[in-house]
Amino acid sequence: MGDALYVDSGAHTGGYASGLLVAFTQTIGGKFRPVVTPVLYVVTHLFGGDYGGYRYFNLGLQVLCVGLFGYLIWRLTLGRWLITLGAMMAAAISRDDAFAVLQVVGLIESIALAFVLLTLIAVERAYWQQKFIWLVGANGAFLLAEFSHERFLVMCPFLMLATLLAPIRFRSIAVRIGAAMVPLAVAFLNYAVKTWVIHVNFFVGAGGQVEHFSVSQFIGFMKDGLESIVGYNTGPAYLSGQDAASLGATGLAVAACFVVPLVAVGLAAVGRDLMPRLRRE
């Protein structure tokens, strides 16, 4: 609640989020988030000390995110409602939802996540409709996501690869490669605005701690994230709990009980539904 009290106090005493226009250039803890700061200005002046107002507003944002996630899963599973509902239920009760709903600043997470989901939906639409305009929309949503929360800069490589592989007709390979560079330019804009206009550090972690980019750390976190997606619990304890490998044979056996079914279902879905449809189109 400390962050919430700080934001609410600053908003009413000339500090962070105290004005609508200045909210587009203000920072907090060394972080520049011009998409969510104006929203914080609105809610702090709308609800004031009414904690219930923040909670219901954040709950509404969370419902929006779960709805967008459900729509994305529905599209990717070709209209399978049972899988869609299961995925939505899992998203609705995830541990991150508690912070997003119960904390005043939790809306930062929800707004950023909404733009991430819109990015993914736009990419999916670009693939199925084979229209370049959807990739434009994806880059626009990515721009809003990265200026909502800097962690989502990691979507840049995904968007670049998605553009390179998109089943869309470009005039030439050079044009396709140029289009794939657009997400990189969007990510660079975040760096340029922060360092040259706002004059803050590009990478700032919790508590205003300045961070430095590390290729090895980036690859390591990506590896841990991908392994976690298929049910193998790994990575630093403060992020993922107990590493399966640290429990020896027992941990690996339990992990296999999750990994094998999840991978099998994923491969079956791709082989049975998605690949034939791609070949027809």
Side-chain angles (χ1 to χ4, degrees):
M1 290 297 291
D3 290 340
L5 293 173
Y6 175 80
V7 169
D8 184 63
S9 174
H12 294 92
T13 57
Y16 179 69
S18 59
L20 182 58
L21 294 180
V22 296
F24 289 97
T25 59
Q26 288 181 317
T27 63
I28 182 172
K31 300 180 180 69
F32 176 61
R33 297 166 176 170
V35 174
V36 296
T37 306
V39 179
L40 282 169
Y41 162 77
V42 173
V43 296
T44 52
H45 287 77
L46 182 64
F47 301 128
D50 179 16
Y51 173 68
Y54 296 108
R55 185 176 57 198
Y56 288 120
F57 181 81
N58 289 349
L59 182 61
L61 288 176
Q62 199 62 28
V63 170
L64 172 64
C65 289
V66 171
L68 290 173
F69 180 66
Y71 175 75
L72 178 62
I73 297 301
W74 179 73
R75 292 293 314 174
L76 293 176
T77 59
L78 306 180
R80 283 173 168 75
W81 284 105
L82 186 60
I83 297 176
T84 299
L85 290 174
M88 292 176 69
M89 290 176 63
I93 61 174
S94 70
R95 62 182 182 180
D96 291 330
D97 289 354
F99 177 87
V101 173
L102 299 179
Q103 296 287 330
V104 171
V105 294
L107 61 85
I108 297 175
E109 305 288 342
S110 298
I111 292 174
L113 179 59
F115 287 125
V116 168
L117 291 169
L118 287 172
T119 303
L120 297 176
I121 290 171
V123 170
E124 188 274 338
R125 293 286 74 211
Y127 268 63
W128 291 124
Q129 294 189 10
Q130 300 182 12
K131 293 183 178 179
F132 180 73
I133 188 64
W134 284 108
L135 289 180
V136 175
N139 280 284
F142 171 48
L143 175 69
L144 294 171
E146 69 174 16
F147 276 109
S148 296
H149 202 303
E150 54 282 343
R151 73 160 63 104
F152 294 115
L153 283 164
V154 298
M155 294 187 65
C156 179
F158 162 76
L159 272 180
M160 294 176 67
L161 182 62
T163 304
L164 284 173
L165 301 180
I168 298 173
R169 290 187 177 182
F170 290 89
R171 293 182 179 180
S172 64
I173 294 296
V175 174
R176 180 181 290 272
I177 294 174
M181 293 298 105
V182 172
L184 187 61
V186 172
F188 179 77
L189 181 63
N190 187 276
Y191 170 83
V193 171
K194 285 181 177 178
T195 57
W196 299 338
V197 180
I198 306 300
H199 303 294
V200 294
N201 289 296
F202 180 46
F203 282 123
V204 179
Q209 178 68 38
V210 178
E211 304 288 349
H212 300 284
F213 181 75
S214 168
V215 175
S216 60
Q217 269 195 330
F218 176 81
I219 295 174
F221 277 122
M222 289 290 289
K223 177 186 71 69
D224 294 341
L226 291 172
E227 290 176 348
S228 296
I229 288 175
V230 296
Y232 182 79
N233 204 51
T234 184
Y238 72 93
L239 287 178
S240 57
Q242 191 70 48
D243 191 309
S246 67
L247 299 176
T250 301
L252 293 175
V254 172
C257 293
F258 289 94
V259 174
V260 174
L262 285 172
V263 172
V265 169
L267 292 176
V270 172
R272 179 179 177 180
D273 297 310
L274 299 183
M275 294 307 294
R277 181 169 176 176
L278 284 173
R279 283 196 294 268
R280 287 196 301 271
E281 296 187 357

